[in-house]
Amino acid sequence: MVLYLDIPSVLAVLAVLVASLIAASGVAAVTRGWVLPWNRRRVHRVRLYGWGQLGVAFGLCCQVLFGLMISNPGIRSLVTLTGSGLLLTGIIVMMVSQRPGANRQGGGTP
């Protein structure tokens, strides 16, 4: 038995795995107020950060899955453009939810 894997399907599986990890972290932030330990110092509004993570996860899935599954080039470009908009919106929401300058180490002049 020979297992044949092509590059787009492997990339789709990896992207869905990453998106589901981001979505799980977003659900934990929205429902429980929990953020990953390396983000806790910077995040000011946890639930908003979780909604941003969910937007990023959904945008990534929309880009990868529907971009690979749909054969019509017009619809495929529209769906990947929608996924890009969701991805960008999620990143902006995540940026808004963080404290400004929270990762500064000090030592600079005021």
Side-chain angles (χ1 to χ4, degrees):
M1 179 176 166
V2 176
L3 182 63
Y4 177 71
L5 296 173
D6 56 342
I7 299 297
S9 64
V10 171
L11 289 176
V13 168
L14 289 175
V16 168
L17 179 67
V18 168
S20 58
L21 290 174
I22 294 170
S25 177
V27 167
V30 170
T31 59
R32 302 282 184 215
W34 184 83
V35 180
L36 292 169
W38 51 83
N39 287 338
R40 287 183 186 154
R41 183 179 301 163
R42 289 182 282 173
V43 175
H44 183 62
R45 292 176 237 150
V46 177
R47 300 210 193 294
L48 186 63
Y49 187 78
W51 284 113
Q53 284 182 321
L54 288 173
V56 166
F58 187 69
L60 185 61
C61 279
C62 186
Q63 278 187 329
V64 172
L65 289 181
F66 296 127
L68 291 175
M69 290 180 4
I70 297 173
S71 61
N72 186 350
I75 295 174
R76 184 174 55 217
S77 64
L78 180 66
V79 170
T80 52
L81 183 64
T82 304
S84 297
L86 285 170
L87 195 63
L88 184 63
T89 303
I91 290 172
I92 290 172
V93 168
M94 287 171 62
M95 286 174 35
V96 166
S97 68
Q98 293 182 0
R99 289 186 183 123
N103 56 358
R104 291 180 136 181
Q105 297 297 326
T109 57

XYZ file of all heavy atoms in Angstrom:
815
model
N 0.844 -1.176 0.000
C 0.000 0.000 0.000
C 0.889 1.240 0.000
O 1.730 1.426 0.866
C -0.891 -0.031 1.232
C -1.775 1.147 1.341
S -2.851 0.913 2.767
C -3.462 2.524 2.914
N 0.668 2.084 -0.981
C 1.441 3.309 -1.117
C 0.543 4.479 -0.764
O -0.570 4.606 -1.271
C 1.981 3.464 -2.553
C 2.697 4.774 -2.712
C 2.887 2.301 -2.895
N 1.033 5.334 0.100
C 0.276 6.515 0.507
C 0.772 7.695 -0.308
O 1.956 8.046 -0.255
C 0.470 6.775 2.000
C -0.292 7.944 2.587
C -1.788 7.689 2.472
C 0.085 8.142 4.029
N -0.112 8.298 -1.072
C 0.253 9.426 -1.916
C -0.263 10.708 -1.280
O -1.453 10.868 -1.057
C -0.349 9.258 -3.310
C -0.080 10.425 -4.218
C 1.182 10.668 -4.722
C -1.101 11.306 -4.546
C 1.427 11.747 -5.538
C -0.866 12.389 -5.361
C 0.394 12.599 -5.862
O 0.648 13.670 -6.661
N 0.643 11.608 -0.963
C 0.286 12.901 -0.386
C 0.758 13.999 -1.323
O 1.934 14.064 -1.672
C 0.947 13.082 0.984
C 0.531 12.114 2.075
C 1.379 12.323 3.295
C -0.928 12.306 2.394
N -0.148 14.840 -1.718
C 0.257 15.988 -2.511
C 0.415 17.205 -1.599
O -0.108 17.247 -0.487
C -0.726 16.264 -3.642
C -2.141 16.459 -3.155
O -2.424 16.060 -2.018
O -2.957 17.016 -3.913
N 1.149 18.176 -2.072
C 1.511 19.347 -1.264
C 0.289 20.153 -0.819
O 0.218 20.525 0.347
C 2.509 20.235 -2.035
C 3.785 19.463 -2.344
C 2.829 21.501 -1.274
C 4.551 19.015 -1.133
N -0.703 20.445 -1.670
C -1.846 21.234 -1.185
C -2.631 20.573 -0.063
O -3.081 21.246 0.865
C -2.718 21.417 -2.428
C -1.789 21.288 -3.566
C -0.761 20.291 -3.130
N -2.773 19.254 -0.113
C -3.528 18.611 0.959
C -2.746 18.614 2.266
O -3.326 18.761 3.340
C -3.910 17.185 0.560
O -2.753 16.394 0.391
N -1.437 18.458 2.211
C -0.623 18.522 3.419
C -0.668 19.925 4.012
O -0.815 20.102 5.228
C 0.837 18.097 3.116
C 1.741 18.358 4.303
C 0.890 16.637 2.722
N -0.586 20.943 3.165
C -0.674 22.321 3.648
C -2.049 22.616 4.237
O -2.153 23.325 5.241
C -0.365 23.300 2.521
C 1.085 23.354 2.071
C 1.224 24.303 0.883
C 1.983 23.771 3.194
N -3.084 22.071 3.627
C -4.434 22.284 4.150
C -4.595 21.642 5.520
O -5.174 22.243 6.427
C -5.474 21.729 3.175
N -4.065 20.449 5.697
C -4.159 19.775 6.995
C -3.382 20.556 8.052
O -3.865 20.749 9.175
C -3.655 18.317 6.879
C -3.455 17.697 8.244
C -4.616 17.495 6.053
N -2.187 21.009 7.720
C -1.401 21.792 8.674
C -2.078 23.114 9.020
O -2.081 23.533 10.184
C 0.004 22.049 8.118
C 0.924 20.836 8.072
C 2.241 21.196 7.400
C 1.162 20.284 9.451
N -2.653 23.775 8.026
C -3.326 25.046 8.283
C -4.570 24.853 9.137
O -4.849 25.668 10.019
C -3.688 25.722 6.956
N -5.308 23.779 8.907
C -6.491 23.507 9.730
C -6.061 23.163 11.155
O -6.727 23.565 12.118
C -7.346 22.386 9.099
C -8.395 21.877 10.057
C -7.985 22.890 7.823
N -4.957 22.457 11.320
C -4.453 22.159 12.659
C -4.065 23.429 13.402
O -4.439 23.622 14.568
C -3.262 21.208 12.566
C -2.610 20.814 13.878
C -3.570 19.960 14.688
C -1.318 20.069 13.624
N -3.359 24.332 12.732
C -2.974 25.607 13.356
C -4.208 26.447 13.668
O -4.321 27.037 14.749
C -1.990 26.374 12.435
C -1.801 27.801 12.894
C -0.657 25.665 12.386
N -5.151 26.484 12.736
C -6.378 27.264 12.959
C -7.197 26.707 14.107
O -7.784 27.466 14.885
C -7.208 27.307 11.679
N -7.228 25.383 14.252
C -7.991 24.820 15.363
C -7.303 25.086 16.705
O -7.982 25.279 17.718
C -8.232 23.329 15.157
O -7.017 22.644 15.014
N -5.987 25.134 16.737
C -5.286 25.514 17.972
C -5.554 26.973 18.332
O -5.770 27.305 19.506
C -3.787 25.258 17.831
C -3.353 23.803 17.788
C -1.863 23.704 17.503
C -3.698 23.107 19.078
N -5.546 27.846 17.327
C -5.859 29.262 17.569
C -7.301 29.413 18.029
O -7.602 30.180 18.949
C -5.587 30.097 16.296
C -4.095 30.118 15.972
C -6.085 31.520 16.458
C -3.766 30.717 14.626
N -8.209 28.659 17.404
C -9.624 28.727 17.787
C -9.839 28.204 19.207
O -10.642 28.759 19.959
C -10.473 27.936 16.799
N -9.123 27.165 19.587
C -9.253 26.640 20.952
C -8.775 27.668 21.971
O -9.401 27.857 23.026
C -8.462 25.344 21.090
N -7.708 28.361 21.657
C -7.227 29.415 22.546
C -8.220 30.579 22.591
O -8.435 31.183 23.648
C -5.858 29.906 22.071
O -5.395 30.949 22.859
N -8.844 30.890 21.460
C -9.847 31.947 21.427
C -11.091 31.598 22.217
O -11.649 32.436 22.927
N -11.528 30.350 22.127
C -12.696 29.912 22.899
C -12.382 29.963 24.387
O -13.218 30.381 25.198
C -13.139 28.496 22.460
C -14.120 27.895 23.429
C -13.731 28.551 21.066
N -11.169 29.570 24.772
C -10.781 29.637 26.181
C -10.741 31.078 26.672
O -11.125 31.365 27.812
C -9.412 28.982 26.381
N -10.317 31.995 25.828
C -10.272 33.402 26.228
C -11.670 33.997 26.338
O -11.947 34.777 27.254
C -9.435 34.206 25.232
N -12.555 33.636 25.424
C -13.907 34.198 25.446
C -14.732 33.619 26.590
O -15.409 34.348 27.311
C -14.616 33.969 24.085
C -16.079 34.318 24.163
C -13.943 34.790 22.995
N -14.666 32.317 26.780
C -15.534 31.688 27.779
C -14.976 31.733 29.188
O -15.717 31.942 30.141
C -15.814 30.218 27.398
O -14.576 29.512 27.325
C -16.566 30.139 26.092
N -13.676 31.535 29.352
C -13.085 31.427 30.684
C -12.200 32.600 31.077
O -11.780 32.706 32.220
C -12.236 30.157 30.789
C -12.989 28.900 30.513
C -13.799 28.535 31.712
N -14.455 27.253 31.486
C -15.636 26.962 31.939
N -16.308 27.832 32.635
N -16.170 25.794 31.706
N -11.862 33.454 30.117
C -10.958 34.555 30.420
C -9.514 34.103 30.552
O -8.714 34.736 31.236
N -9.154 33.002 29.902
C -7.819 32.437 30.000
C -7.027 32.766 28.746
O -7.505 32.621 27.624
C -7.905 30.926 30.170
C -6.574 30.278 30.368
C -5.895 30.163 31.529
C -5.776 29.648 29.369
N -4.717 29.505 31.325
C -4.614 29.176 29.995
C -5.922 29.446 28.008
C -3.607 28.519 29.308
C -4.916 28.792 27.319
C -3.783 28.330 27.975
N -5.781 33.213 28.935
C -4.882 33.539 27.834
C -3.611 32.727 28.027
O -3.229 32.404 29.163
C -4.558 35.056 27.816
C -3.620 35.417 26.690
C -5.828 35.857 27.699
N -2.951 32.400 26.942
C -1.697 31.664 27.031
C -0.700 32.416 27.916
O -0.684 33.653 27.929
C -1.115 31.461 25.631
C -1.906 30.519 24.734
C -1.413 30.602 23.304
C -1.800 29.097 25.243
N 0.145 31.703 28.650
C 1.028 32.364 29.624
C 1.944 33.425 29.034
O 2.217 34.440 29.675
C 1.848 31.208 30.202
C 1.013 30.002 29.995
C 0.227 30.250 28.747
N 2.429 33.254 27.821
C 3.345 34.244 27.249
C 2.624 35.480 26.722
O 3.260 36.445 26.336
C 4.221 33.634 26.165
C 3.472 32.872 25.110
C 2.850 33.390 24.015
C 3.256 31.478 25.083
N 2.249 32.397 23.306
C 2.493 31.202 23.934
C 3.627 30.425 25.902
C 2.094 29.917 23.595
C 3.226 29.154 25.554
C 2.470 28.909 24.419
N 1.305 35.486 26.721
C 0.540 36.657 26.305
C -0.137 37.377 27.462
O -0.743 38.428 27.266
C -0.532 36.269 25.284
C 0.042 35.944 23.944
O 1.142 36.356 23.615
N -0.680 35.180 23.162
N -0.068 36.830 28.649
C -0.841 37.369 29.769
C -0.432 38.784 30.151
O -1.276 39.588 30.541
C -0.703 36.464 30.993
C -1.474 35.203 30.828
C -1.407 34.335 32.033
N -2.068 33.069 31.725
C -1.789 31.940 32.313
N -0.887 31.903 33.276
N -2.423 30.850 31.971
N 0.809 39.107 30.078
C 1.257 40.436 30.484
C 0.763 41.520 29.524
O 0.446 42.625 29.929
C 2.786 40.468 30.553
C 3.315 41.800 31.043
C 4.804 41.810 31.141
N 5.238 40.760 32.065
C 6.474 40.306 32.122
N 7.376 40.787 31.305
N 6.806 39.369 32.969
N 0.681 41.193 28.245
C 0.323 42.195 27.252
C -1.169 42.388 27.060
O -1.618 43.477 26.711
C 0.935 41.828 25.912
C 2.428 42.010 25.877
C 2.941 41.685 24.534
N 2.987 40.223 24.433
C 3.275 39.581 23.333
N 3.513 40.237 22.233
N 3.312 38.261 23.315
N -1.954 41.336 27.240
C -3.380 41.400 26.924
C -4.125 42.150 28.023
O -4.026 41.817 29.198
C -3.963 39.985 26.735
C -5.454 40.051 26.534
C -3.299 39.305 25.562
N -4.863 43.182 27.621
C -5.623 43.998 28.561
C -7.090 43.575 28.595
O -7.690 43.492 29.653
C -5.500 45.473 28.163
C -6.182 46.417 29.081
N -5.832 46.549 30.398
C -7.211 47.261 28.885
C -6.609 47.459 30.970
N -7.459 47.896 30.052
N -7.680 43.336 27.444
C -9.073 42.897 27.343
C -9.100 41.475 26.796
O -8.976 41.256 25.598
C -9.843 43.837 26.433
C -9.992 45.208 27.059
C -10.672 46.148 26.117
N -9.752 47.271 25.963
C -9.653 48.003 24.894
N -10.411 47.779 23.869
N -8.804 48.989 24.841
N -9.265 40.528 27.684
C -9.098 39.116 27.348
C -10.182 38.633 26.391
O -9.896 37.939 25.420
C -9.090 38.269 28.643
C -8.991 36.803 28.318
C -7.943 38.698 29.531
N -11.419 38.973 26.632
C -12.502 38.471 25.785
C -12.410 39.042 24.365
O -12.655 38.322 23.395
C -13.843 38.795 26.410
C -13.969 38.163 27.782
C -15.366 37.814 28.149
N -15.580 37.477 29.544
C -15.089 36.429 30.173
N -14.291 35.627 29.544
N -15.355 36.187 31.435
N -12.036 40.292 24.254
C -11.842 40.885 22.930
C -10.688 40.197 22.194
O -10.763 39.948 20.988
C -11.581 42.383 23.063
C -11.488 43.185 21.783
C -12.815 43.146 21.038
C -11.084 44.611 22.079
N -9.645 39.877 22.927
C -8.519 39.146 22.359
C -8.965 37.772 21.851
O -8.549 37.329 20.788
C -7.432 39.000 23.424
C -6.144 38.413 22.924
C -5.236 39.187 22.217
C -5.812 37.092 23.175
C -4.040 38.653 21.771
C -4.629 36.551 22.733
C -3.747 37.338 22.031
O -2.568 36.799 21.586
N -9.839 37.112 22.612
C -10.364 35.816 22.186
C -11.201 35.915 20.920
O -11.108 35.055 20.043
N -12.016 36.966 20.818
C -12.791 37.158 19.586
C -11.875 37.408 18.398
O -12.142 36.958 17.277
C -13.792 38.289 19.745
C -14.987 37.895 20.545
C -15.336 38.365 21.772
C -15.987 36.937 20.188
N -16.493 37.752 22.201
C -16.915 36.874 21.249
C -16.192 36.124 19.086
C -18.014 36.027 21.217
C -17.292 35.280 19.065
C -18.182 35.245 20.115
N -10.787 38.118 18.628
C -9.807 38.326 17.553
C -9.161 37.019 17.124
O -8.948 36.776 15.930
N -8.852 36.158 18.093
C -8.291 34.858 17.754
C -9.281 34.008 16.969
O -8.888 33.305 16.032
C -7.876 34.116 19.022
C -6.602 34.625 19.624
C -6.208 33.827 20.843
O -7.058 33.441 21.643
N -4.925 33.575 20.980
N -10.534 34.064 17.339
C -11.549 33.317 16.581
C -11.679 33.848 15.156
O -11.869 33.076 14.205
C -12.884 33.365 17.304
C -12.963 32.538 18.584
C -14.285 32.806 19.303
C -12.813 31.073 18.276
N -11.585 35.161 14.988
C -11.615 35.741 13.642
C -10.424 35.304 12.808
O -10.559 34.997 11.615
N -9.245 35.270 13.417
C -8.045 34.813 12.708
C -8.188 33.344 12.307
O -7.865 32.963 11.173
C -6.782 35.032 13.580
C -5.599 34.280 13.035
C -6.457 36.501 13.675
N -8.680 32.519 13.216
C -8.831 31.091 12.922
C -9.846 30.869 11.796
O -9.605 30.079 10.878
C -9.255 30.341 14.176
N -10.973 31.574 11.856
C -11.980 31.403 10.821
C -11.486 31.934 9.476
O -11.742 31.333 8.428
C -13.288 32.087 11.224
C -14.410 31.806 10.288
C -14.974 30.543 10.212
C -14.905 32.793 9.458
C -16.008 30.272 9.334
C -15.936 32.534 8.578
C -16.486 31.273 8.520
N -10.766 33.047 9.483
C -10.220 33.585 8.241
C -9.192 32.656 7.615
O -9.159 32.477 6.394
N -8.359 32.044 8.445
C -7.365 31.104 7.930
C -8.029 29.867 7.331
O -7.650 29.418 6.248
C -6.406 30.705 9.056
C -5.234 29.813 8.688
C -4.329 30.500 7.677
C -4.451 29.452 9.925
N -9.030 29.355 8.018
C -9.769 28.201 7.468
C -10.492 28.570 6.180
O -10.536 27.780 5.239
C -10.764 27.678 8.493
S -10.033 26.613 9.717
N -11.061 29.741 6.154
C -11.784 30.189 4.961
C -10.832 30.302 3.768
O -11.156 29.870 2.666
C -12.445 31.532 5.252
S -13.516 32.137 3.952
N -9.655 30.839 3.999
C -8.681 30.965 2.925
C -8.211 29.615 2.420
O -8.189 29.359 1.225
C -7.464 31.762 3.390
C -7.625 33.225 3.343
C -6.315 33.905 3.661
O -5.499 33.403 4.412
N -6.137 35.072 3.092
N -7.826 28.760 3.323
C -7.202 27.506 2.918
C -8.214 26.496 2.398
O -8.078 25.981 1.296
C -6.396 26.913 4.097
C -5.907 25.526 3.770
C -5.234 27.810 4.428
N -9.230 26.225 3.187
C -10.152 25.163 2.794
C -10.969 25.521 1.564
O -11.013 24.769 0.594
C -11.075 24.820 3.959
C -10.412 24.094 5.114
C -11.426 23.782 6.185
C -9.751 22.831 4.629
N -11.620 26.663 1.607
C -12.456 27.023 0.468
C -11.612 27.414 -0.739
O -12.041 27.247 -1.873
C -13.422 28.138 0.840
C -14.404 27.734 1.904
C -14.560 28.489 3.040
C -15.156 26.591 1.766
C -15.461 28.126 4.017
C -16.059 26.203 2.735
C -16.206 26.978 3.868
N -10.422 27.921 -0.510
C -9.533 28.240 -1.620
C -9.059 27.007 -2.357
O -8.800 27.039 -3.552
N -8.932 25.897 -1.643
C -8.500 24.659 -2.282
C -9.661 23.821 -2.800
O -9.498 23.040 -3.726
C -7.672 23.820 -1.293
C -6.312 24.388 -0.921
C -5.670 23.531 0.144
C -5.418 24.490 -2.133
N -10.833 23.950 -2.190
C -11.947 23.083 -2.558
C -12.758 23.613 -3.738
O -13.337 22.838 -4.477
C -12.879 22.883 -1.363
C -12.266 22.037 -0.287
S -13.242 21.722 1.195
C -14.800 22.445 0.940
N -12.819 24.902 -3.927
C -13.663 25.479 -4.971
C -12.859 25.569 -6.262
O -11.746 26.077 -6.275
C -14.184 26.864 -4.542
C -15.064 26.714 -3.308
C -14.939 27.531 -5.664
C -15.506 28.015 -2.703
N -13.446 25.091 -7.349
C -12.722 25.077 -8.618
C -12.999 26.312 -9.480
O -12.216 26.622 -10.370
C -13.062 23.812 -9.399
O -14.442 23.794 -9.681
N -14.092 27.017 -9.234
C -14.418 28.214 -10.000
C -13.482 29.345 -9.570
O -13.473 29.748 -8.409
C -15.871 28.602 -9.742
C -16.328 29.743 -10.617
O -15.534 30.385 -11.301
N -17.619 29.995 -10.596
N -12.672 29.892 -10.497
C -11.682 30.899 -10.086
C -12.298 32.197 -9.564
O -11.723 32.838 -8.684
C -10.859 31.155 -11.342
C -11.502 30.420 -12.447
C -12.558 29.545 -11.900
N -13.450 32.577 -10.054
C -14.082 33.810 -9.574
C -14.552 33.699 -8.138
O -14.313 34.579 -7.309
N -15.221 32.607 -7.846
C -15.703 32.386 -6.477
C -14.529 32.134 -5.542
O -14.520 32.593 -4.396
C -16.716 31.220 -6.453
C -17.951 31.598 -7.255
C -17.107 30.868 -5.023
C -18.941 30.489 -7.422
N -13.519 31.397 -6.014
C -12.357 31.110 -5.184
C -11.628 32.386 -4.787
O -11.236 32.553 -3.636
C -11.413 30.161 -5.908
C -10.226 29.766 -5.040
C -9.366 28.711 -5.688
N -8.925 29.119 -7.003
C -8.814 28.289 -8.036
N -9.133 27.029 -7.904
N -8.382 28.729 -9.193
N -11.488 33.318 -5.709
C -10.811 34.571 -5.358
C -11.657 35.405 -4.401
O -11.126 36.057 -3.496
C -10.476 35.371 -6.619
O -11.658 35.765 -7.284
N -12.974 35.355 -4.551
C -13.855 36.077 -3.639
C -13.784 35.500 -2.220
O -13.714 36.239 -1.236
C -15.290 36.047 -4.152
C -16.324 36.766 -3.306
C -16.058 38.266 -3.312
C -17.713 36.462 -3.799
N -13.753 34.173 -2.123
C -13.701 33.530 -0.808
C -12.351 33.761 -0.141
O -12.278 34.030 1.059
C -14.011 32.023 -0.945
C -13.736 31.288 0.346
C -15.456 31.823 -1.350
N -11.261 33.681 -0.892
C -9.953 33.934 -0.284
C -9.798 35.401 0.085
O -9.141 35.714 1.078
C -8.813 33.493 -1.208
O -8.987 34.066 -2.501
C -8.737 31.997 -1.326
N -10.414 36.295 -0.662
C -10.390 37.712 -0.288
C -11.196 37.940 0.990
O -10.780 38.702 1.872
C -10.938 38.576 -1.421
C -10.914 40.083 -1.212
C -9.469 40.557 -1.093
C -11.600 40.793 -2.341
N -12.322 37.258 1.128
C -13.109 37.331 2.361
C -12.307 36.779 3.534
O -12.311 37.355 4.628
C -14.421 36.552 2.202
O -15.126 37.068 1.083
C -15.269 36.645 3.445
N -11.612 35.667 3.324
C -10.757 35.106 4.366
C -9.641 36.044 4.758
O -9.293 36.167 5.933
N -9.075 36.752 3.782
C -8.026 37.728 4.087
C -8.573 38.885 4.913
O -7.920 39.369 5.839
C -7.412 38.278 2.788
O -6.801 37.265 2.065
N -9.791 39.316 4.587
C -10.422 40.380 5.372
C -10.691 39.945 6.806
O -10.462 40.710 7.752
N -11.159 38.710 6.986
C -11.377 38.186 8.339
C -10.069 38.050 9.103
O -9.999 38.365 10.293
C -12.075 36.828 8.260
C -13.547 36.837 7.917
C -14.024 35.424 7.645
C -14.334 37.460 9.041
N -9.041 37.598 8.423
C -7.727 37.456 9.048
C -7.190 38.809 9.497
O -6.726 38.967 10.632
C -6.777 36.797 8.057
C -5.469 36.240 8.545
C -5.702 35.106 9.522
C -4.668 35.735 7.369
N -7.288 39.798 8.646
C -6.812 41.137 8.988
C -7.654 41.750 10.102
O -7.111 42.375 11.031
C -6.839 42.037 7.750
C -6.291 43.438 7.918
C -4.809 43.390 8.267
C -6.508 44.242 6.661
N -8.969 41.564 10.054
C -9.835 42.086 11.113
C -9.516 41.440 12.454
O -9.450 42.115 13.483
C -11.309 41.848 10.747
O -11.580 42.462 9.488
C -12.233 42.403 11.807
N -9.283 40.128 12.461
C -8.923 39.442 13.689
C -7.609 39.930 14.264
O -7.471 40.108 15.480
N -6.624 40.180 13.407
C -5.334 40.689 13.873
C -5.490 42.089 14.453
O -4.905 42.414 15.494
C -4.303 40.659 12.726
C -3.940 39.209 12.414
C -3.057 41.450 13.078
C -3.089 39.036 11.180
N -6.301 42.924 13.814
C -6.522 44.281 14.327
C -7.236 44.238 15.671
O -6.883 44.967 16.601
C -7.298 45.124 13.286
C -6.399 45.418 12.096
C -7.817 46.415 13.906
C -7.102 46.066 10.936
N -8.237 43.354 15.815
C -8.944 43.224 17.093
C -7.988 42.742 18.183
O -8.022 43.226 19.316
C -10.159 42.276 16.937
C -10.730 41.876 18.285
C -11.217 42.928 16.088
N -7.103 41.824 17.844
C -6.125 41.358 18.822
C -5.156 42.473 19.216
O -4.757 42.572 20.380
C -5.354 40.160 18.262
C -6.166 38.898 18.201
S -5.373 37.549 17.313
C -3.922 37.290 18.289
N -4.783 43.319 18.272
C -3.880 44.430 18.582
C -4.565 45.454 19.480
O -3.936 46.007 20.385
C -3.396 45.099 17.293
C -2.375 44.289 16.558
S -1.905 44.953 14.942
C -1.953 46.681 15.141
N -5.843 45.722 19.239
C -6.581 46.694 20.036
C -6.723 46.219 21.482
O -6.734 47.026 22.407
C -7.956 46.966 19.382
C -8.896 47.697 20.318
C -7.786 47.737 18.094
N -6.812 44.915 21.683
C -7.034 44.383 23.025
C -5.776 44.336 23.884
O -5.851 43.995 25.051
C -7.620 42.982 22.927
O -6.656 42.094 22.405
N -4.638 44.689 23.328
C -3.396 44.636 24.098
C -3.054 45.993 24.681
O -3.470 47.033 24.167
C -2.251 44.157 23.210
C -2.414 42.734 22.781
C -1.250 42.257 21.950
O -0.310 42.989 21.698
N -1.316 41.015 21.512
N -2.285 45.968 25.755
C -1.823 47.204 26.375
C -0.737 47.827 25.521
O 0.151 47.127 25.042
C -1.246 46.916 27.760
C -2.250 46.543 28.759
C -1.591 46.417 30.116
N -2.579 45.991 31.076
C -2.472 44.895 31.813
N -1.418 44.142 31.707
N -3.419 44.586 32.656
N -0.756 49.131 25.359
C 0.334 49.761 24.602
C 1.611 49.765 25.434
O 1.618 50.144 26.602
C -0.174 51.182 24.361
C -1.203 51.414 25.399
C -1.780 50.075 25.745
N 2.687 49.313 24.844
C 3.981 49.347 25.497
C 4.117 48.371 26.643
O 4.968 48.571 27.514
N 3.372 47.305 26.681
C 3.427 46.379 27.804
C 4.673 45.503 27.758
O 5.077 44.941 28.748
C 2.198 45.490 27.823
N 5.314 45.383 26.598
C 6.486 44.545 26.509
C 7.791 45.333 26.626
O 8.849 44.840 26.318
C 6.472 43.735 25.203
C 6.354 44.627 23.992
O 6.246 45.824 24.100
N 6.367 44.003 22.833
N 7.727 46.555 27.099
C 8.932 47.354 27.279
C 9.704 46.856 28.472
O 9.152 46.496 29.491
C 8.557 48.813 27.486
C 8.000 49.456 26.265
C 7.688 50.872 26.596
N 8.154 51.711 25.517
C 8.033 53.008 25.542
N 7.522 53.613 26.582
N 8.449 53.713 24.522
N 11.022 46.914 28.370
C 11.871 46.436 29.446
C 12.425 47.579 30.284
O 13.011 47.352 31.318
C 13.055 45.635 28.858
C 12.592 44.399 28.117
C 11.885 43.415 29.023
O 12.226 43.275 30.189
N 10.874 42.751 28.505
N 12.234 48.778 29.850
C 12.751 49.930 30.608
C 14.171 50.265 30.164
O 14.741 49.690 29.259
N 14.779 51.191 30.839
C 16.146 51.587 30.519
C 16.226 52.697 29.505
O 17.305 53.207 29.239
N 15.114 53.114 28.929
C 15.114 54.187 27.954
C 14.831 55.523 28.611
O 14.475 55.621 29.783
N 15.035 56.574 27.889
C 14.728 57.903 28.416
C 13.252 58.166 28.268
O 12.625 57.758 27.287
C 15.534 58.979 27.667
O 15.236 58.870 26.274
C 17.014 58.795 27.902
N 12.629 58.849 29.220
C 11.191 59.117 29.148
C 10.823 60.113 28.080
O 11.522 60.900 27.602
C 10.837 59.646 30.516
C 12.104 59.978 31.191
C 13.200 59.304 30.450
